[in-house]
Amino acid sequence: MPKLIDSVADIYPHSRGLQDAGKRVGFVPTMGALHDGHLSLVREAFEQCDHVVVSIFVNPKQFGADEDLDRYPRTLADDTIKLSNLPHPERITLYAPTLEEMYPKNYATSIQVSGLTEAMCGKSRPNFFGGIVTVVTKLLLQVQPHVVFFGEKDYQQLKIVQRLAKDLNLPVDVVGCPIRREDDGLAMSSRNQYLTTQERALAPILNQTLIEMSDHIRNGMDVLSTLEAGRDALTLSGFNEIDYLDYRDGESLASLSHYRPHGRLLVGAYLGKTRLLDNIEV
Ligand code: AMP
């Protein structure tokens, strides 16, 4: 069984103790409802580190008023079993701090990263990245790992956290890990369990559309008309709202109007009430 720590006061002494014993400590922050995407981050962390801290904290500050905070899946017992079934569970610490300790009544501080946070997910969800950056800063200060692992599934988030670490000189390496997908191409996500059977059958179209668009852009087709065709294809397939479908530079996230090496297609779209994200390098 992984060791469970649920108190902010206890996590740093634990992490410090491991580091004093010569261990390289990796950190995988999550909101729980663990799936193979999360577990692939833990596996990658074990490639690079001796001990892995996995945090589970559903962070209210990154949810908007009308979003799914209340129904977000909370499955700590199942998550613990999934971590126990990995090789070397004794080298995993599960850190699940309480809401009261993370945000006590007089809590007043937030951290902002400008620029990168304004487009795509940040445009439709104004508090989203502020909430993420604040909780990630808190968690990094609490755990003080050598390396922190984030999924490319949330590509904009990864680039923002890398910016945060660089700008604040945080002494941590921020490592991005590839997206884990179901056999039909759907990116794994804790929110996939919201999908009805019919929606689940349609969901892989998101990834298929990105792959087709990527082929078109690589073959020299006009970027704007490819984006427009992609939006139309998703709408026709049953996606009810395309939040964004963009072609952007993989580092700066600046919009691109022509093919460029390391460009990326990124999408956020609703299938029914469920918001799905995906992205691929072109
Ligand atoms: P979440 O619990 O959704 O906040 O995700 C926690 C971490 O797992 C983030 O760094 C995500 O990018 C990463 N993650 C979520 N889904 C996947 C996936 N399908 N493949 C790789 N990483 C993922």
Side-chain angles (χ1 to χ4, degrees):
M1 283 281 269
K3 182 180 173 68
L4 173 68
I5 292 186
D6 61 8
S7 149
V8 171
D10 291 342
I11 190 64
Y12 179 65
H14 173 70
S15 172
R16 181 76 258 164
L18 291 163
Q19 297 184 35
D20 287 347
K23 311 279 186 220
R24 187 167 167 82
V25 173
F27 179 36
V28 178
T30 81
M31 296 208 298
L34 299 183
H35 50 67
D36 270 353
H38 297 116
L39 300 182
S40 71
L41 267 53
V42 180
R43 288 197 183 91
E44 180 54 36
F46 272 126
E47 293 291 316
Q48 302 190 28
C49 302
D50 305 301
H51 195 100
V52 182
V53 177
V54 179
S55 69
I56 295 185
F57 179 66
V58 181
N59 175 35
K61 287 204 185 294
Q62 70 190 69
F63 287 78
D66 52 354
E67 292 181 358
D68 57 342
L69 174 63
D70 291 339
R71 69 172 182 140
Y72 198 87
R74 288 158 172 89
T75 56
L76 189 62
D78 277 2
D79 293 346
T80 308
I81 293 169
K82 284 179 186 159
L83 294 174
S84 304
N85 288 336
L86 291 174
H88 310 298
E90 74 286 357
R91 293 205 259 135
I92 300 176
T93 300
L94 175 53
Y95 176 44
T98 61
L99 187 58
E100 293 71 27
E101 264 204 291
M102 286 295 275
Y103 300 118
K105 277 206 171 63
N106 51 357
Y107 186 88
T109 302
S110 53
I111 313 260
Q112 291 289 343
V113 172
S114 54
L116 288 175
T117 50
E118 280 148 30
M120 298 191 286
C121 288
K123 196 165 182 185
S124 55
R125 306 176 78 191
N127 303 323
F128 181 57
F129 285 123
I132 287 177
V133 167
T134 300
V135 82
V136 167
T137 307
K138 281 172 68 72
L139 290 167
L140 286 174
L141 289 169
Q142 291 164 3
V143 179
Q144 301 196 27
H146 293 103
V147 199
V148 65
F149 297 84
F150 283 87
E152 288 184 349
K153 154 86 186 347
D154 303 279
Y155 195 81
Q156 190 177 8
Q157 165 178 281
L158 167 66
K159 291 296 131 184
I160 290 167
V161 174
Q162 285 174 335
R163 179 87 260 152
L164 167 81
K166 200 163 184 205
D167 287 353
L168 295 186
N169 312 106
L170 299 179
V172 66
D173 287 338
V174 182
V175 171
C177 302
I179 302 179
R180 284 280 298 208
R181 300 180 179 280
E182 305 288 354
D183 290 342
D184 58 13
L186 175 65
M188 290 179 181
S189 164
S190 306
R191 288 191 167 98
N192 289 350
Q193 52 188 281
Y194 297 157
L195 297 168
T196 64
T197 312
Q198 201 186 4
E199 289 164 354
R200 176 63 189 82
L202 292 174
I205 293 173
L206 197 60
N207 183 238
Q208 288 156 15
T209 305
L210 291 187
I211 292 171
E212 279 166 30
M213 292 172 66
S214 167
D215 288 345
H216 290 165
I217 292 176
R218 242 193 348 260
N219 291 331
M221 266 185 68
D222 177 62
V223 167
L224 274 185
S225 31
T226 304
L227 291 173
E228 217 168 272
R231 260 182 226 113
D232 290 348
L234 289 175
T235 309
L236 276 173
S237 308
F239 283 81
N240 40 321
E241 193 184 326
I242 319 298
D243 196 3
Y244 60 88
L245 174 56
D246 292 359
Y247 177 52
R248 290 175 179 265
D249 181 81
E251 278 310 311
S252 69
L253 300 184
S255 285
L256 297 175
S257 52
H258 296 95
Y259 170 78
R260 279 248 205 98
H262 310 299
R264 256 188 136 81
L265 284 164
L266 304 106
V267 65
Y270 283 86
L271 199 47
K273 286 185 181 150
T274 307
R275 191 161 181 280
L276 298 178
L277 300 185
D278 202 349
N279 67 86
I280 59 171
E281 183 168 331
V282 175

